[in-house]
Amino acid sequence: MPPYVVKDKCDGCKGKEEPLCEQICIGDLMTLDTETGKAYCRSLRDCWDCMSCTKLCPKGAIEQRIPYQLGYHGAKLIPMMGTDSITWTCVDINGKVERFTYRTRNKK
Amino acid sequence: MGNDIKTGIYLCTCNGEIDKVIDVDSLAKEASEWPGIITVHKDAFLCSDDAIRKVREDVKEFGLDRILIAACSPFFKAEEFSGLGINKYLVERVNIREQCSRVHSNDPENATKKAKAMLRVFLEKVKYSHPLQLLQLPSLRSALVIGGGVAGINASIDIAGTDNEVFLIEKNPFLGGRVAGFHKYFPRMCPPSCGLELMFSKIKSNPNVHVLTSSEIDTISGSPGNFEVLIRTSPRYVNEVCVLCGKCLEVCPQNAVVYPEGFSYPGIPAINRELCAVDCNKCAEICPVDAIDLDEDVKVNNIKAGAIVLATGWEPFDPAPITELGYGRLENVVTNMEFERIAKKQKTFFDKPKRVAFIQCVGSRDERYLSYCSDVCCMVSIKQALFLKETNPDNEVYIFYNDIRTPGEYEELYQKARKAGVIFIKGIPSELKQSEPGKISFSVFDTVAGERLDITTDMVVLATGMKPSQGTIDLKDKIGIALNKNNFIESHIQCYPQDTQRNAVFSAGCCRAPMDVSRSIESAGTAAIKTLRFFNNCIEITPDNPIVNTLKCDVCKRCIEECPFKAYFFDEKGFPKSDIMKCRRCGVCMGGCPLAAISLGELSIEQLSEMIDAFDRAYLGEDEPVILGFLCKNDAYRAVDDAGLKGIKYPPNFLGIMVPCAGAVNGAIIAKTISAGVDGIIVAGCPDNQCHYVQGSRLAKARLTDISNKLREMYLEPERVRFISISRDESERFTEIVKEYVEELKKMGRNPLRI
Amino acid sequence: MKKSLPKTIKDVEEVRIETDLLIIGGGNSGCFVAIEAKEKNPNLDVTIMEKAHIDRSGALAAGMDAINTYIGEGETPETIVAWSRAQVGGGPLREDLALSNANILNECVESLEKWGVPFKKDEKGRYKRRGRFDISIHGEQLKPVIAEKTKSYNPRILNRVAATNLIKEGDRVVGAMGFGIRDGKFYVIKAKATVVSTGGAAGLYRSATNDGTTSHHQMWMCPFNVGTGYAMGVRAGAEFTLMEQRWCAARVKDFTGPVDTISVGYKARMINSKGELILQERYAHLGGDTAPRYIRANAPMSEWSDGRGPTYVDTRHLSPEQVKDLKIDYLNERPTYVLFLAARGQDPAKEPLEIYGSDPYIVGGHTASGYWVDTDRMATIPGLFAAGECAGGMPNKFVGGCAAEGVLAARGALKYISSVRHGDPDENQIAAEKERVFFPLVRGSGMEAKYNIPAGQDPRWQYDGVTPEEMEERFQRLMDEYAGGVGQFFKFNEEQLNYAIKHIKMMRDQVNRLFATDLHDLVLVHDVIDRLDVAEVVVMHLRERRETRWPGWQTRTDYPDVDPNLDCFINSRKNLKAGEIEMIKRPYEQILPGDRTKAPSPIPLSAEKA
């Protein structure tokens, strides 16, 4: 499921050499476009949709979209990272909204 | 962690003030059953000597690890509650008076519920506190003064005069700055040689001052109290053996010898090697005492300084771009600085009476060039006009102005000029033309008389303004100081004019703003005092500066980028680390880290996480919305306290937590709070231009906008998270905001994540 | 950082490192190797070569929702080994390896909870069991937790460094070589012991939905695990086992994501388009719902090919609570499956979820393919160890077992390290590898733009060469059609396999036509080279096993029955002089007595609620 970087939200991680998404991508796919100073996925077909980039982006600028080969347009899956929990929001093509929250780290 | 910690809870009733609203007894009873609570004690005056003694005894008897004081605001009685027999960082204050009983007195039942929720939250916070110990880091008692003009010289005299070392560096071969080039300076109209000579003698006679002329800063590293500075000194080619015989000046074919004036310091010539003819050695050959070495090399010195005073001065505005004024194009159009130089040389100025026009505000108060007023130009023109009148009363002198700004006693000089016959006309000339050789003509609309005036003059003096010097701009990155939008040094003008955004770096004179000589000297004195105070305070540091969790850190460098005080450096492993001396503990780094990997010593991400877990989001019952507020300690928290002092009521649905700065609140904490089902979140900071940490408020606002947008995409109401800016005196506004917000949340319904 | 590319091999900078223990692959088992090694010997110099970034790399990138090997109440290491044996139809498997793993399994799993991963608990506070040996976790942070623990011991972690080959000195492995994906440098790492833990091999076959413009990597296994660890071992002449035991599983259709979550965790049974309970109907004699894995894997394919498709797991009995839990499980492992359902407007409580077979993978964590190792996890070449999915002979390791493998490999390596010195490898070998690694990049930077390609199109089409994507596509289709991919319902015969071998060899001969125009492309080039080497071994193994022991994993249409003479390990080793793969048979050694196809369960499955 390829990640799409929303132009208006991405700040290229303040123009550092490697934005966070580039640092974490398990397939070496996310990278900085030096001309626009924004990140992009260099090969949408090669993404394995682990969503590490989406979770990590400090501006929430990455949208995970499902290939049309697999599913219809307009569904969304949005992770919101808490310190030790995560909340997912899923919206289906009929507009139905579901939310899931659970702990991801034990108390210390 | 957690349950083997022994905590004591102390509840103050403030002699009825608190418990007339809050049922302190029921609080005490419930709290005593919480895990880890060893003792709960209620007192009418918890700040009294007797009560404090009891707490200290409890600490010994029960071996208490943590103490919760539920009483007035943490800003009251801080002294009393810091001597409880355990490290003061293991004591947490719960503000059940200013932020509970006094503001919810119309709703005792819910006030009590809120107090209970507050106790639970802060109990969790204190469990995770660390016993921090103060460190003492002395500063080196030496100051680096950059700039040898009037301000720099006076700062050096003041600092060295109290037995501290001073390194005064100046990029030109002579001290004195621009004042040395003046003819006279106001208000007393003394020649600069007089004042400067006195200053120089003070420097000469104080062995604590080390003067380095022809020198510039290469690099500055280290931290407040311990700066390391690399200074590059260009060769002068003449040394102190020189007896000032003047032979080198006579013999030089290129005019390359810069000869000192009578009062100059150092009183030795310098050679401008760039002007020398190839292979010419005439000066070195003729010098009777061998004081000239034309092969002298650049020297690099490494000095250590505890504090830095910036006195890098100003530059005159170049009026050439204002083409209608004809500078550089028309004969006899000069700037005010050029007038000084001419006046210095030609005491009588003109051989016969002439007409001279001064045009004010050249470049200044002009959106195209300098948007500010350059402070001194009106007085300068009056000084120069008076001089013209003194040399020959038949000189006709006009001053064309927008406003005449001669505050305080300078008004007398304005009157004197008028009495002397100087004609002041309110109107700024249009295009200057060369009507005949040596003469300049123009029209001007006299706005007071209401008529047009055509005039031809023998000379026009353009009263050009002050620009910040290139030296200031060059030092910006070397020292890491901030410049304001006009490129003068950024400072907190009304309260701390001499401070910069860096600890132990101060400013003196015109590098901060246009000012005249007397104000420059005053500001130098202030900078000196700040420097001395810095030396004197064995710098007491709490090691609560932020720590980066290197196991999580991905070195995205956002913390380095966003720190308002440039306090981050890279450690040996390449991870960001905060400099304990530069850091001001604002927590902007903690708020911005995308991995929530940074924590302050006094407030960690884990603490905030646990506090949110402990926050009972239904503390007023399942149907009431609750708002958690993160309040900056400088303005917002105080404003909320003030509502308590004034007794202004607001709904108990709001519970506040103090943070160092609005910028310290991390997005993951907000995410966790929303996910925990809290209905509304307020992050409150100082108004943008008043943020004590420069950009904390602005960053908080931007981050919260991002979070709101994310909530919108998640089909949650974006209004559930909001940033408000609150000034210290805006308590009423705050209470209005809370009231409206509670109503809004009631209409919105509960947070859908509140399962 | 966009580096300028080298014009010649000489332009390439080298980084030389000497370390005690080199771990290739910083995934689940690789991290456990590092942690155990440092625990036992804090002064050991440990280096991890990691192709991506250790915080999220490998198959655990999105997380995990369950640990599928944990010995709960009433079970013992012996019962789990017996179960594992039965799941592969009685073997073959290395019972010695399986027992050594099972003995330390629980403590490895429990350490995950200690380090912060939330484990679901039942009302009594015990780990909540969703299957006989499966427990549920909220593992979205599983990899970051393991990575943080690893980092706390301060090993030298080389992120974005891809390993390409082992260094040999005589008959010993003395380290490995690779290249920096960001810095473009050639890495030569000398080590006293080298552990290969690069995970399994995905992308050997065409996946069912890889024809979509943006869904090329739609597969169950992590597509960035290409089998480099296996390939390096093949090229070094190590012995491999059971490479014919491919993991072809039933997966949710199109998305090709995990289905065990649903079928095991929520007791959703397999049905076909007619509503028949497939396993009951056709495989009752093999155990029905508890039939061996390969039966469950193959069942949907048979239904489809016999015209009774589509096939589903029936989730219509789930309560809304259970649907929510089911989605949370997926969010912890393959979150976009929830997006997939949302993008089709599907509610599991109303419609059953489609399943289908996946493309075959070589994963030693699920089946028993991999290096032939001893109980110290040392391969047949001294100095070389295999951990996790790379270690062969033991199926059904999953996350917990691979973690335990890491611990065991660390112990084996430490024992070995204490008795050896650093090797002194021949510089010619290193120079030859440097040439081999960077040749495609140097070639790419020096190619002439021959063809007209307008701006805005992929500039690589200007050059007269072969792009790695083209070779990968050809190769994946070749395997799918001729070596029993999902497109062929996993079936193949001898002639097809011979065809596959022939064309794999032809492609291998043409790898010098591959070119790379940046470092990312260079990764893709080596990915395809490594896959070719692994695939060749796989096909040779498939050919050698002339029987059908595990239909689905290995279905020979020309030898459809079990041959009792092949109740043994089929192994292989590349003869380095001849350059050909040699096949070897090794006997099965039974340690646990009893019927190998049965795994008596002390706790009846049906009594356990999801």
Side-chain angles (χ1 to χ4, degrees):
Chain A
M1 243 56 64
Y4 294 77
V5 177
V6 178
K7 277 196 294 193
D8 293 337
K9 291 185 184 169
C10 175
D11 64 358
C13 274
K14 311 238 166 187
K16 294 290 165 244
E17 289 158 9
E18 265 190 37
L20 276 166
C21 53
E22 184 166 357
Q23 282 190 39
I24 203 65
C25 178
I26 63 172
D28 189 36
L29 301 174
M30 296 303 290
T31 189
L32 186 71
D33 175 355
T34 42
E35 278 188 33
T36 59
K38 295 178 192 287
Y40 73 105
C41 174
R42 62 171 116 214
S43 177
L44 296 171
R45 77 203 277 267
D46 283 341
C47 175
W48 191 49
D49 52 272
C50 69
M51 292 182 79
S52 298
C53 55
T54 317
K55 290 172 184 172
L56 205 52
C57 176
K59 306 285 288 178
I62 302 183
E63 267 180 33
Q64 204 73 16
R65 284 178 48 187
I66 198 149
Y68 205 75
Q69 177 67 250
L70 302 171
Y72 298 100
H73 183 267
K76 292 187 216 242
L77 182 64
I78 302 165
M80 181 165 77
M81 304 293 284
T83 47
D84 50 16
S85 63
I86 187 171
T87 294
W88 296 90
T89 303
C90 182
V91 186
D92 78 3
I93 47 174
N94 301 317
K96 178 166 143 217
V97 178
E98 281 183 305
R99 295 198 187 87
F100 309 88
T101 302
Y102 51 88
R103 268 197 100 94
T104 49
R105 297 255 187 167
N106 285 331
K107 255 167 128 66
K108 287 230 173 34
Chain B
M1 180 67 71
N3 293 327
D4 24 333
I5 291 194
K6 301 207 251 317
T7 308
I9 299 186
Y10 296 87
L11 302 149
C12 188
T13 61
C14 204
N15 200 32
E17 177 62 33
I18 292 179
D19 64 352
K20 72 182 186 210
V21 176
I22 296 179
D23 183 352
V24 177
D25 284 323
S26 81
L27 268 189
K29 185 165 178 308
E30 281 207 58
S32 59
E33 270 143 44
W34 293 342
I37 305 304
I38 302 298
T39 176
V40 180
H41 172 75
K42 186 182 85 162
D43 202 295
F45 288 110
L46 202 50
C47 49
S48 66
D49 286 340
D50 285 335
I52 302 280
R53 197 175 309 120
K54 165 137 185 40
V55 177
R56 296 175 66 95
E57 281 163 10
D58 282 353
V59 167
K60 282 209 199 77
E61 188 189 328
F62 298 115
L64 294 179
D65 301 305
R66 303 283 190 276
I67 295 176
L68 219 55
I69 302 277
C72 50
S73 163
F75 287 102
F76 296 140
K77 305 292 179 188
E79 185 60 41
E80 284 80 343
F81 288 124
S82 62
L84 294 175
I86 63 174
N87 184 300
K88 69 174 183 174
Y89 292 94
L90 301 177
V91 178
E92 191 65 38
R93 300 281 300 269
V94 189
N95 191 345
I96 58 172
R97 192 179 76 179
E98 272 69 33
Q99 293 199 15
C100 195
S101 70
R102 299 215 56 185
V103 288
H104 308 314
S105 51
N106 52 344
D107 191 355
E109 195 188 324
N110 284 328
T112 308
K113 288 184 183 167
K114 175 175 163 178
K116 176 172 153 207
M118 289 171 79
L119 276 178
R120 260 330 250 118
V121 167
F122 288 95
L123 173 62
E124 212 57 30
K125 176 174 183 219
V126 80
K127 270 196 212 157
Y128 290 86
S129 294
H130 299 287
L132 302 172
Q133 300 289 352
L134 291 181
L135 297 176
Q136 300 219 320
L137 296 171
S139 163
L140 287 172
R141 297 191 76 99
S142 57
L144 171 68
V145 178
I146 307 179
V150 151
I153 295 168
N154 278 285
S156 305
I157 293 171
D158 286 336
I159 296 172
T162 48
D163 276 338
N164 296 292
E165 219 181 349
V166 175
F167 295 93
L168 173 59
I169 83 161
E170 164 57 46
K171 71 173 190 268
N172 289 312
F174 298 96
L175 295 184
R178 295 203 191 270
V179 170
F182 288 174
H183 170 227
K184 292 191 204 274
Y185 58 102
F186 63 85
R188 295 245 185 128
M189 309 305 185
C190 312
S193 55
C194 170
L196 283 175
E197 195 151 40
L198 192 57
M199 296 177 206
F200 292 154
S201 73
K202 289 196 183 142
I203 286 189
K204 275 187 252 189
S205 62
N206 192 329
N208 287 334
V209 184
H210 311 285
V211 178
L212 289 144
T213 49
S214 305
S215 299
E216 291 188 69
I217 305 280
D218 218 31
T219 54
I220 299 188
S221 56
S223 52
N226 220 316
F227 290 110
E228 267 199 41
V229 190
L230 223 62
I231 299 177
R232 186 171 293 268
T233 303
S234 300
R236 200 187 190 88
Y237 304 106
V238 184
N239 62 36
E240 321 78 43
V241 173
C242 167
V243 294
L244 281 174
C245 64
K247 291 209 169 57
C248 53
L249 183 61
E250 278 170 39
V251 101
C252 175
Q254 302 288 107
N255 258 328
V257 176
V258 186
Y259 209 79
E261 297 183 68
F263 64 92
S264 293
Y265 182 81
I268 324 166
I271 298 181
N272 187 348
R273 208 77 170 86
E274 282 166 35
L275 298 177
C276 291
V278 175
D279 281 339
C280 172
N281 266 344
K282 292 204 171 69
C283 52
E285 284 159 16
I286 205 148
C287 176
V289 290
D290 255 334
I292 299 184
D293 174 11
L294 290 172
D295 293 320
E296 195 184 337
D297 244 330
V298 168
K299 280 200 259 313
V300 175
N301 280 314
N302 198 325
I303 66 128
K304 287 195 175 28
I308 299 175
V309 177
L310 301 169
T312 41
W314 60 282
E315 273 168 18
F317 172 76
D318 174 3
I322 310 182
T323 49
E324 60 265 31
L325 294 176
Y327 179 73
R329 187 170 44 92
L330 305 178
E331 254 185 280
N332 288 337
V333 174
V334 298
T335 65
N336 45 15
M337 282 300 281
E338 285 169 337
F339 184 98
E340 285 297 306
R341 254 173 268 144
I342 301 171
K344 233 169 118 128
K345 278 211 212 119
Q346 306 167 207
K347 291 300 169 191
T348 51
F349 217 85
F350 302 125
D351 45 3
K352 57 183 201 295
K354 301 270 179 152
R355 182 182 292 156
V356 180
F358 287 83
I359 302 181
Q360 298 306 106
C361 295
V362 172
S364 307
R365 302 179 68 191
D366 187 336
E367 263 171 27
R368 297 169 297 169
Y369 307 106
L370 311 175
S371 58
Y372 50 87
C373 164
S374 289
D375 195 274
V376 301
C377 322
C378 288
M379 279 307 299
V380 170
S381 292
I382 288 175
K383 163 184 80 166
Q384 293 173 339
L386 279 170
F387 168 71
L388 283 171
K389 281 295 192 185
E390 275 160 22
T391 51
N392 190 340
D394 291 330
N395 280 331
E396 280 179 55
V397 184
Y398 292 83
I399 296 186
F400 295 97
Y401 67 92
N402 278 320
D403 297 286
I404 292 294
R405 293 184 166 171
T406 51
E409 290 175 346
Y410 294 167
E411 173 70 11
E412 291 170 9
L413 283 164
Y414 166 63
Q415 296 299 339
K416 184 174 174 187
R418 289 190 59 174
K419 281 209 193 80
V422 175
I423 300 171
F424 288 84
I425 297 186
K426 186 172 167 72
I428 292 294
S430 63
E431 194 181 345
L432 269 55
K433 296 189 172 71
Q434 193 102 63
S435 51
E436 39 179 300
K439 292 211 189 284
I440 308 113
S441 313
F442 52 89
S443 314
V444 64
F445 188 78
D446 180 341
T447 53
V448 171
E451 57 187 31
R452 196 176 110 169
L453 181 66
D454 291 308
I455 187 169
T456 302
T457 65
D458 298 297
M459 179 184 253
V460 169
V461 181
L462 302 175
T464 51
M466 281 181 166
K467 261 178 22 185
S469 72
Q470 190 58 39
T472 307
I473 299 173
D474 289 341
L475 277 173
K476 169 178 182 273
D477 289 324
K478 285 196 179 141
I479 302 189
I481 47 165
L483 301 180
N484 67 17
K485 66 176 166 53
N486 296 316
N487 274 335
F488 288 101
I489 294 180
E490 178 74 68
S491 73
H492 194 314
I493 293 186
Q494 64 215 44
C495 299
Y496 309 104
Q498 253 55 61
D499 281 6
T500 66
Q501 264 172 35
R502 303 286 168 258
N503 283 344
V505 177
F506 308 102
S507 66
C510 295
C511 58
R512 184 179 70 69
M515 56 178 74
D516 59 33
V517 172
S518 60
R519 266 179 66 205
S520 291
I521 296 181
E522 274 175 5
S523 82
T526 312
I529 297 227
K530 296 272 173 148
T531 308
L532 295 174
R533 273 178 52 194
F534 181 78
F535 292 160
N536 271 358
N537 297 341
C538 218
I539 306 156
E540 270 194 343
I541 307 278
T542 46
D544 57 349
N545 57 316
I547 304 288
V548 176
N549 180 349
T550 54
L551 297 180
K552 280 195 201 278
C553 174
D554 265 346
V555 202
C556 75
K557 303 177 208 157
R558 201 167 273 258
C559 50
I560 296 182
E561 162 90 22
E562 287 182 350
C563 175
F565 306 105
K566 296 274 184 287
Y568 270 93
F569 62 97
F570 286 107
D571 71 9
E572 334 74 60
K573 294 217 179 69
F575 287 107
K577 192 168 174 176
S578 68
D579 181 313
I580 202 173
M581 294 294 296
K582 290 184 181 165
C583 171
R584 294 203 192 167
R585 281 79 167 147
C586 63
V588 157
C589 49
M590 177 164 92
C593 178
L595 289 158
I598 303 183
S599 284
L600 289 171
E602 251 191 305
L603 183 66
S604 67
I605 293 282
E606 286 74 30
Q607 259 173 320
L608 286 165
S609 251
E610 299 298 334
M611 285 164 83
I612 292 163
D613 273 340
F615 178 55
D616 179 3
R617 49 174 171 54
Y619 72 84
L620 291 178
E622 280 300 332
D623 293 325
E624 284 291 322
V626 296
I627 303 169
L628 193 60
F630 297 91
L631 310 170
C632 91
K633 79 167 190 275
N634 289 309
D635 270 9
Y637 192 91
R638 309 304 290 263
V640 178
D641 265 357
D642 279 355
L645 283 172
K646 296 180 193 157
I648 313 175
K649 316 272 178 288
Y650 56 87
N653 308 56
F654 172 87
L655 195 153
I657 296 178
M658 179 162 52
V659 289
C661 177
V665 185
N666 191 292
I669 292 292
I670 309 249
K672 188 181 162 83
T673 310
I674 279 282
S675 302
V678 174
D679 304 287
I681 300 174
I682 288 178
V683 175
C686 310
D688 187 11
N689 56 348
Q690 291 172 29
C691 177
H692 287 56
Y693 299 116
V694 188
Q695 56 193 17
S697 271
R698 181 165 34 91
L699 286 168
K701 188 167 180 194
R703 289 176 199 153
L704 270 124
T705 308
D706 286 343
I707 293 177
S708 283
N709 286 335
K710 188 169 195 124
L711 292 182
R712 186 179 293 118
E713 283 180 23
M714 288 165 63
Y715 285 66
L716 285 171
E717 299 86 348
E719 299 83 17
R720 291 199 182 272
V721 174
R722 58 181 57 173
F723 172 81
I724 60 172
S725 56
I726 287 281
S727 181
R728 172 89 191 254
D729 60 353
E730 288 185 298
S731 353
E732 279 91 352
R733 189 171 144 250
F734 167 77
T735 57
E736 289 309 311
I737 290 176
V738 170
K739 284 188 202 132
E740 279 170 26
Y741 199 15
V742 172
E743 289 311 306
E744 218 183 303
L745 288 172
K746 282 186 178 150
K747 283 203 203 76
M748 236 189 260
R750 285 176 1 196
N751 180 341
L753 291 166
R754 188 162 150 179
I755 324 152
Chain C
M1 166 114 81
K2 306 296 172 256
K3 283 200 59 88
S4 61
L5 298 175
K7 298 274 186 301
T8 67
I9 303 287
K10 277 201 212 37
D11 289 338
V12 176
E13 278 176 59
E14 282 183 25
V15 175
R16 299 238 172 179
I17 297 174
E18 248 184 48
T19 188
D20 294 324
L21 177 63
L22 174 62
I23 302 168
I24 304 179
N28 176 24
S29 60
C31 285
F32 270 86
V33 175
I35 294 167
E36 175 70 6
K38 282 289 206 178
E39 271 287 322
K40 291 285 188 297
N41 184 351
N43 295 322
L44 198 71
D45 190 304
V46 176
T47 304
I48 304 179
M49 267 174 113
E50 167 51 58
K51 184 173 163 185
H53 192 292
I54 200 171
D55 282 354
R56 283 279 182 186
S57 60
L60 294 183
M64 266 309 285
D65 63 324
I67 301 284
N68 294 320
T69 38
Y70 182 76
I71 304 171
E73 240 175 74
E75 303 279 1
T76 66
E78 287 74 23
T79 61
I80 197 175
V81 174
W83 165 85
S84 174
R85 185 173 64 184
Q87 285 291 300
V88 294
L93 86 165
R94 288 276 303 274
E95 294 188 20
D96 59 337
L97 297 178
L99 283 167
S100 64
N101 186 300
N103 281 327
I104 65 165
L105 179 62
N106 279 12
E107 52 185 270
C108 294
V109 173
E110 284 154 14
S111 52
L112 293 171
E113 189 186 22
K114 263 202 229 88
W115 302 338
V117 179
F119 278 49
K120 274 172 143 167
K121 306 264 170 71
D122 63 17
E123 329 72 48
K124 294 209 185 93
R126 300 171 304 188
Y127 289 155
K128 190 160 183 203
R129 284 162 81 154
R130 73 171 197 186
R132 187 169 167 194
F133 297 104
D134 313 64
I135 56 177
S136 294
I137 63 170
H138 280 159
E140 185 271 324
Q141 288 278 304
L142 181 59
K143 188 72 208 294
V145 164
I146 296 175
E148 276 170 37
K149 184 71 184 166
T150 311
K151 286 191 259 191
S152 71
Y153 289 98
N154 249 315
R156 182 187 299 103
I157 299 176
L158 301 169
N159 284 320
R160 302 289 173 196
V161 174
T164 54
N165 251 334
L166 300 166
I167 310 178
K168 287 186 76 180
E169 188 199 12
D171 199 38
R172 185 159 80 104
V173 165
V174 295
M177 299 170 279
F179 68 98
I181 301 177
R182 295 274 188 269
D183 62 15
K185 297 183 184 167
F186 182 57
Y187 283 74
V188 180
I189 304 175
K190 268 182 22 185
K192 291 184 182 164
T194 305
V195 179
V196 172
S197 50
T198 53
L204 297 176
Y205 286 79
R206 205 171 70 129
S207 87
T209 33
N210 85 336
D211 54 337
T213 309
T214 49
S215 60
H216 176 68
H217 274 167
Q218 199 56 40
M219 53 180 78
W220 162 78
M221 172 69 179
C222 177
F224 312 113
N225 292 11
V226 305
T228 300
Y230 302 134
M232 295 197 297
V234 168
R235 294 193 284 258
E239 188 170 321
F240 284 82
T241 185
L242 296 174
M243 295 296 273
E244 71 278 14
Q245 200 176 62
R246 312 165 310 162
W247 176 243
C248 322
R251 291 285 172 253
V252 286
K253 185 168 179 294
D254 300 330
F255 184 85
T256 319
V259 79
D260 276 348
T261 302
I262 317 175
S263 52
V264 173
Y266 295 87
K267 306 290 171 271
R269 271 115 143 243
M270 250 191 242
I271 57 172
N272 61 18
S273 62
K274 315 283 180 236
E276 298 171 298
L277 290 167
I278 305 171
L279 291 174
Q280 260 77 309
E281 287 291 319
R282 271 169 265 291
Y283 303 94
H285 59 290
L286 290 171
D289 282 314
T290 56
R293 275 187 196 267
Y294 52 88
I295 299 295
R296 300 207 302 273
N298 209 37
M301 305 310 287
S302 306
E303 296 302 297
W304 269 81
S305 93
D306 290 343
R308 291 187 297 272
T311 47
Y312 307 88
V313 279
D314 196 352
T315 49
R316 291 172 292 187
H317 63 285
L318 294 182
S319 69
E321 265 293 310
Q322 288 178 306
V323 170
K324 191 162 179 128
D325 278 343
L326 173 69
K327 288 189 176 176
I328 289 182
D329 283 342
Y330 271 106
L331 289 169
N332 270 307
E333 187 182 359
R334 285 294 294 277
T336 44
Y337 185 62
V338 173
L339 181 59
F340 171 83
L341 292 175
R344 295 156 88 105
Q346 265 184 274
D347 179 355
K350 298 208 176 68
E351 302 170 48
L353 300 174
E354 264 199 279
I355 59 170
Y356 198 69
S358 74
D359 45 314
Y361 312 97
I362 295 294
V363 279
H366 282 65
T367 58
S369 19
Y371 282 81
W372 185 249
V373 293
D374 62 19
T375 45
D376 281 334
R377 285 10 187 217
M378 187 149 83
T380 50
I381 309 180
L384 179 64
F385 295 80
E389 308 233 79
C390 285
M394 180 191 157
N396 303 309
K397 297 188 192 79
F398 313 122
V399 173
C402 284
E405 284 294 305
V407 169
L408 292 167
R411 292 178 187 171
L414 284 172
K415 213 161 71 178
Y416 179 79
I417 285 174
S418 59
S419 65
V420 291
R421 282 174 297 116
H422 271 296
D424 192 18
D426 161 27
E427 283 298 321
N428 288 329
Q429 187 194 160
I430 294 174
E433 177 65 7
K434 185 174 177 183
E435 170 98 29
R436 185 188 82 94
V437 169
F438 287 94
F439 175 73
L441 191 63
V442 166
R443 188 168 129 81
S445 73
M447 283 172 94
E448 200 198 296
K450 186 172 170 187
Y451 305 114
N452 175 43
I453 298 294
Q457 301 293 315
D458 186 338
R460 292 178 305 165
W461 304 125
Q462 298 174 83
Y463 305 115
D464 188 359
V466 180
T467 63
E469 291 94 318
E470 290 180 282
M471 193 178 276
E472 180 185 285
E473 282 164 3
R474 167 110 194 240
F475 152 73
Q476 287 179 344
R477 173 190 273 272
L478 176 77
M479 293 293 285
D480 184 55
E481 290 178 351
Y482 296 92
V486 68
Q488 293 296 312
F489 301 97
F490 306 131
K491 299 179 187 159
F492 51 88
N493 61 32
E494 185 105 0
E495 291 76 16
Q496 286 170 310
L497 293 176
N498 285 335
Y499 184 97
I501 292 176
K502 172 173 161 195
H503 284 277
I504 289 174
K505 286 197 165 129
M506 288 178 78
M507 271 189 268
R508 254 243 298 283
D509 283 342
Q510 293 221 323
V511 298
N512 60 354
R513 317 279 174 111
L514 292 167
F515 69 96
T517 52
D518 60 28
L519 288 164
H520 180 76
D521 263 3
L522 189 62
V523 174
L524 298 180
V525 165
H526 284 286
D527 280 355
V528 84
I529 292 175
D530 290 345
R531 281 177 170 137
L532 281 169
D533 281 344
V534 175
E536 186 184 12
V537 173
V538 170
V539 178
M540 300 227 32
H541 275 249
L542 289 172
R543 186 173 67 178
E544 189 70 9
R545 192 171 278 282
R546 290 179 179 88
E547 60 158 359
T548 300
R549 186 166 286 263
W550 318 286
W553 292 352
Q554 189 256 354
T555 310
R556 298 266 326 230
T557 51
D558 44 0
Y559 295 94
D561 301 308
V562 174
D563 179 350
N565 293 320
L566 290 172
D567 181 17
C568 62
F569 294 95
I570 291 190
N571 289 9
S572 65
R573 186 171 47 209
K574 186 167 196 169
N575 180 321
L576 295 176
K577 284 200 196 57
E580 289 297 327
I581 313 273
E582 288 172 352
M583 307 305 294
I584 308 158
K585 288 192 179 59
R586 297 213 186 269
Y588 184 108
E589 280 163 36
Q590 179 162 359
I591 302 177
L592 290 180
D595 181 346
R596 282 156 46 189
T597 60
K598 300 239 185 313
S601 166
I603 300 163
L605 246 180
S606 54
E608 284 296 305
K609 297 208 99 179

